[in-house]
Structure formats: C-alpha cells, structure tokens
Amino acid sequence: MNTSQLAAVPPSIDPPFWRGLKWGDHLFAGLVLLAGGIAFGRYHALMDVYEQAILLAAVAGLIAFGWFWKPIRLFVPLCGLLALGGVALYGDDLARGQSAFWLKYVLASQSAVMWMCVLFFLAMLMYWVGLLRRSDTADAIGSWLTWAAAGAAMVWFFVRWREGYLIGADVGHVPVSNLYEVFILFCFITALMYLYYEQRFATRRMGAFVLLVVSAAVGFILWYTFDRQAHEIQPLIPALQSWWMKIHVPANFVGYGSFALAAMLGVAQLLSSYGVLASRLPSYDTLGEVMYKAIAVGFLFFTIATILGAMWAADAWGGYWSWDPKETWALIVWLNYAAWLHVRLVKGWRGNVLAWWAVIGLLVTTFAFLGVNMFLSGLHSYGSL
C-alpha cells in the first residue's frame, strides 16, 4: 500500500461507550432510575438540597457501577426486593418484627445481620477447605456464601434505616453512625471488593485470607451486640446530625476495606515467598498485583473521605483542620499509603517489603480507626467501646 492509499484509509475511531451497552445494561439502569424516582417522590419533602444531590449521585453511581461490573445488575435488584419486602412487612408497626415470621427470622435488621455473620463464617471455612484440599467445589461454595452474606448486609442496611424512622422521626438516620453499624459496612464493602477481584483475576484462592479479616470484624460485631447491646437503634448525637456523614463515612470505609484486603493478601504473599501454601495460592506476582490495585483504590477513596471530613469540620467547627488526634492519625494513614504507592510506582519496588508494609499499614489504620477513640481524646471522641 503506497502513501496515497494510506492517506485514504480513515482513522479508526472507537464507538461511544453507550453503543456497547446491552439490553441488560438498559434494564438495570431503568430499574435504578425507577427506584430513585420513587424514593425522591416519597421523601423529597424531608430532604434538603444536599441530600437530594446525594440521592441523584447515588443513582448515577450505582448505574455506572452496574455497567462496570455485571454481577451487580442482579445482586442489587435482588437485595432491593428483599429489603422492600422487609419494609412492607413492617408497615407502620415496629412491633411486627416480633410477630411476623419472615421479619423475626429473616428480614428484620437484627435477623439479617445474624445471617450475615453465619454466612461469612461459613464462607471463610469453605474457602480454607478449597485452599487446603484444592477443591474448586468448596471454593465455589465459599464464593456463593460470600455473595449471600453481602446480600444480607445490604438488606440489613435498608431495613434498619426504616426501623429507625418507625421508632421516631428524630431517631431515624442512615445506619453508618456508630461502631456497630460501620463494622457491618466494613464487612459489606470488603466482601464486595474481594468478589470483584476474585472475578477479575479468575481465582478464588485468595478468599481464605480475605475472609479472615472479615470474620474478625464479624466476631467484633457479635461481641459488641451481645455484650454491649450495640444493635439497639439510638438517636444521633448532635455532632453526627449532618448530611456530610452520608458521604464521608462510606468513602472512608471503602478505604478501610481496601487496606484490609491488601494486608491479608500481603500475608498470603509472604507465606508464598517462604514456601507455605505456595502451590495452592495464586502466583506471587498475582497477589502483589491485586494488593497494589486494592491500595490504589483505597487511597483514592481515603483521600476523598479526608477532604470531605475537612469540609465537614469547617461546617461544624469553623475550621478545616485542627490537629485533633483523629485528624492527625488520618494524615499518618494517608502518608503511609501515599509513600507505599510512591515507592511502587516511581521507585519500582516489588516483593516482600511491600507486603510487610501493607500488613503494618493495616495495624496503623486500625489504631487510627479504633485506637484513637479508645486511648486519645479530642473532637472525635464520640465513638467508643
């Protein structure tokens, strides 16, 4: 082909992304828009302009997420239907939670979270059976149990939200306000992130390690429930009566979930490097790659959450930053993972040093989340054990 012929060939242009959407994508988007429209129609009078904007962003974000990751197109509608079933069974009478069979044993928030705990424990056991016995069947069962546990957590979220308003208009709030609620959010986010990487890298052999940290959180939830009665819905304290909470807390816990997932993969990578379970685990490089992607996502969301937290502080206390212990330790966490990403992307570091760093990073993050509230005092000293 000569020069004139080459010039006559039109350049290739990628078609717009919407040309690649299938009927399932459009159906999912329609369902989400319908649900969002119904929610807006029923509750817009109770929402300020910021909360309406959050609803709009949540609808758009969920549609985009469903287009990006196909399993969400089935997972979200199924969980939504179950949650709507629980809300409908309640009607306007909270006492029905003790008499209606499906509420009492399945769909009431406390029933749903108990199912979540059991399913996560079973999933962890099946993943370990699959890892130790090289059983694809056990791995598949572990994966399905993890999906079911995440579904129970999502049902819990919406039903508990409704239960709060059944107690009283001044009590109801989005359930991300205390340690009990955010630990369930942590389990949900970490599980979904793991399930994405499980599909993306076509391996279920990471689940045994990731479900360990989720199960540890489940153990805390059970202790906190039965020892401290933390599952009881309480009114929000004044410091948390803000629409900022609805976006700051979930963004934070995408970060926490990502860092926890990366740390457990760091443990797996370290064991593999010393020849422990090396033949059963994904390759050393695969574990490192998933760890890197998880930290990158977590760092992005933790950065967003930190910015949102500063804006919330300015709105509530008149200043963006006060060097409160919680803020200081959040900065330490941010700097830790910024340095981790820097040495990997710029300096080209790989291997065990980054795995150890990810594991130690989770300890730093855990202290920033729990330890500060337990041992230090400050403006954020409202979430204690």
Side-chain angles (χ1 to χ4, degrees):
M1 184 178 292
N2 57 38
T3 305
S4 61
Q5 288 174 315
L6 285 172
V9 177
S12 62
I13 300 175
D14 293 331
F17 78 92
W18 59 81
R19 295 279 182 86
L21 297 178
K22 307 299 183 183
W23 68 269
D25 298 305
H26 296 297
L27 177 60
F28 175 73
L31 287 173
V32 175
L33 288 171
L34 177 62
I38 292 172
F40 181 82
R42 291 194 62 178
Y43 303 114
H44 73 277
L46 303 174
M47 298 187 291
D48 59 30
V49 64
Y50 301 107
E51 290 166 329
Q52 293 175 7
I54 291 171
L55 175 62
L56 178 62
V59 168
L62 184 55
I63 291 173
F65 191 33
W67 287 350
F68 171 72
W69 188 26
K70 302 304 183 185
I72 292 297
R73 299 185 310 179
L74 180 61
F75 175 76
V76 169
L78 284 178
C79 295
L81 287 174
L82 288 172
L84 285 174
V87 170
L89 285 171
Y90 268 121
D92 294 321
D93 184 9
L94 186 64
R96 284 183 56 80
Q98 298 301 317
S99 58
F101 176 86
W102 286 103
L103 283 175
K104 186 175 182 179
Y105 295 106
V106 182
L107 295 175
S109 66
Q110 191 56 19
S111 300
V113 83
M114 289 299 105
W115 279 110
M116 181 204 79
C117 294
V118 170
L119 290 167
F120 272 136
F121 274 134
L122 291 175
M124 179 194 67
L125 292 175
M126 293 309 300
Y127 275 126
W128 274 103
V129 170
L131 179 65
L132 297 175
R133 297 180 63 88
R134 292 189 175 92
S135 171
D136 292 337
T137 301
D139 284 335
I141 294 172
S143 184
W144 282 107
L145 288 171
T146 304
W147 275 109
M154 189 170 180
V155 171
W156 165 88
F157 180 86
F158 289 108
V159 174
R160 183 177 175 88
W161 199 346
R162 176 57 178 163
E163 289 171 350
Y165 280 96
L166 289 176
I167 295 173
D170 59 335
V171 175
H173 58 269
V174 60
V176 293
S177 66
N178 56 41
L179 283 178
Y180 169 79
E181 293 171 349
V182 298
F183 260 85
I184 297 172
L185 180 66
F186 169 83
C187 292
F188 174 72
I189 289 174
T190 307
L192 277 188
M193 289 195 64
Y194 163 70
L195 288 167
Y196 168 74
Y197 289 121
E198 178 182 271
Q199 183 188 54
R200 172 70 177 79
F201 287 85
T203 177
R204 291 173 169 146
R205 295 294 164 85
M206 302 179 292
F209 286 89
V210 177
L211 266 290
L212 280 175
V213 73
V214 174
S215 295
V218 164
F220 175 86
I221 292 167
L222 292 174
W223 168 79
Y224 208 38
T225 298
F226 294 111
D227 189 69
R228 302 298 178 88
Q229 299 299 305
H231 64 286
E232 296 178 358
I233 300 174
Q234 302 291 336
L236 286 177
I237 63 174
L240 297 178
Q241 293 175 6
S242 171
W243 61 270
W244 287 103
M245 183 182 71
K246 299 178 176 67
I247 52 178
H248 169 70
V249 175
N252 232 346
F253 275 84
V254 174
Y256 288 151
S258 302
F259 299 152
L261 187 153
M264 298 314 296
L265 295 181
V267 171
Q269 192 178 35
L270 289 169
L271 290 176
S272 177
S273 70
Y274 295 118
V276 179
L277 300 174
S279 63
R280 292 173 169 84
L281 286 166
S283 71
Y284 184 86
D285 290 339
T286 297
L287 291 169
E289 183 68 14
V290 180
M291 181 173 61
Y292 156 64
K293 290 183 182 298
I295 287 179
V297 171
F299 181 74
L300 170 63
F301 277 89
F302 193 79
T303 301
I304 294 170
T306 302
I307 294 170
L308 293 173
M311 296 172 70
W312 186 1
D315 188 38
W317 301 318
Y320 290 98
W321 197 268
S322 60
W323 294 105
D324 175 79
K326 194 77 168 181
E327 296 171 350
T328 303
W329 275 92
L331 178 61
I332 292 171
V333 171
W334 188 88
L335 290 173
N336 173 69
Y337 288 106
W340 192 101
L341 290 169
H342 174 78
V343 299
R344 190 187 192 281
L345 293 172
V346 177
K347 301 298 184 180
W349 288 19
R350 298 291 191 276
N352 283 10
V353 63
L354 292 186
W356 278 113
W357 195 335
V359 174
I360 295 170
L362 179 60
L363 300 178
V364 174
T365 304
T366 302
F367 183 82
F369 173 46
L370 287 177
V372 170
N373 289 355
M374 294 171 61
F375 303 114
L376 303 175
S377 61
L379 293 172
H380 294 79
S381 299
Y382 43 73
S384 63
L385 295 176

